[in-house]
Amino acid sequence: MALEKIRSTTVLGIVHNGQVALGADGQASMGNTIAKSNVKKIRKLLDGKIVTGFAGSTADAFTLLERFEEKLNAYNQNMKRAAIELAKDWRTDRYLRRLEAMMVVANKDELLVISGTGDVLEPDNQIAAIGSGSMYAQAAATALKKHAPHLTAEEMVREGLSIAADICVFTNHNLIIEKPAG
């Protein structure tokens, strides 16, 4: 019998009206079982100037987070350049290639999705969602941006994740939401 990995679930980031917010639920699942309900999947880097969120295998995500921080330091805190360099390494390095995680990174101006296939994506509509409940969260966020533009980015992230948690069994209501420092 193969051991199942503990996986983290839903992350949602939004840029709206000059604000950026990134949030995640707190559930980690092992197969169909909740392994932990209050995992912190959002991390601040560079004194809060960069906020990151991860989905996938937790140990793999922390490895990538460390590598991303190294790239930020190597490339003068340039988030986009650090993301591209991490994605290059992730795709070509034999060890990193096996990691199973995705990341959303944000600064005060933009969001990026970094994947293990070498992609660095600037998401459509300035909404980034990864993890098991990502499509529910993204759909909710898209509707909120269109029909409730008076909400803040933080309120949209909170509501989008809450809707995802109502629908997705791998997403819960223990939310952490952060905004990058200006």
Side-chain angles (χ1 to χ4, degrees), residues 26-169:
Q27 185 167 304
S29 304
M30 189 179 324
N32 292 327
T33 304
I34 297 169
K36 188 169 171 76
S37 64
N38 60 350
V39 176
K40 187 176 180 211
K41 302 174 206 169
I42 302 294
R43 297 282 189 262
K44 291 182 177 182
L45 303 174
L46 302 177
D47 297 319
K49 291 178 189 164
I50 306 261
V51 180
T52 66
F54 59 84
S57 172
T58 304
D60 291 355
F62 278 110
T63 299
L64 292 168
L65 186 63
E66 288 171 8
R67 293 286 181 108
F68 181 63
E69 192 165 24
E70 288 170 11
K71 296 294 182 189
L72 283 168
N73 291 326
Y75 292 100
N76 201 28
Q77 302 181 357
N78 182 322
M79 184 179 80
K80 191 176 285 186
R81 176 75 188 273
I84 290 166
E85 294 302 322
L86 174 64
K88 281 187 202 173
D89 286 356
W90 196 351
R91 186 171 170 91
T92 59
D93 183 276
R94 288 177 109 168
Y95 171 72
L96 291 179
R97 217 176 14 220
R98 294 188 177 120
L99 299 182
E100 297 178 17
M102 290 184 75
M103 294 175 57
V104 175
V105 297
N107 62 20
K108 66 181 181 60
D109 300 312
E110 65 183 335
L111 292 166
L112 299 171
V113 177
I114 309 170
S115 79
T117 57
D119 296 316
V120 176
L121 304 171
E122 294 180 72
D124 290 339
N125 302 318
Q126 298 182 311
I127 299 168
I130 60 173
S132 302
S134 63
M135 291 301 102
Y136 307 115
Q138 184 172 350
T142 301
L144 290 167
K145 279 190 94 163
K146 183 175 182 180
H147 298 290
H150 62 281
L151 295 176
T152 66
E154 183 176 356
E155 290 168 330
M156 288 181 179
V157 167
R158 184 173 311 285
E159 190 61 25
L161 287 169
S162 182
I163 289 168
D166 288 343
I167 300 168
C168 178
V169 297

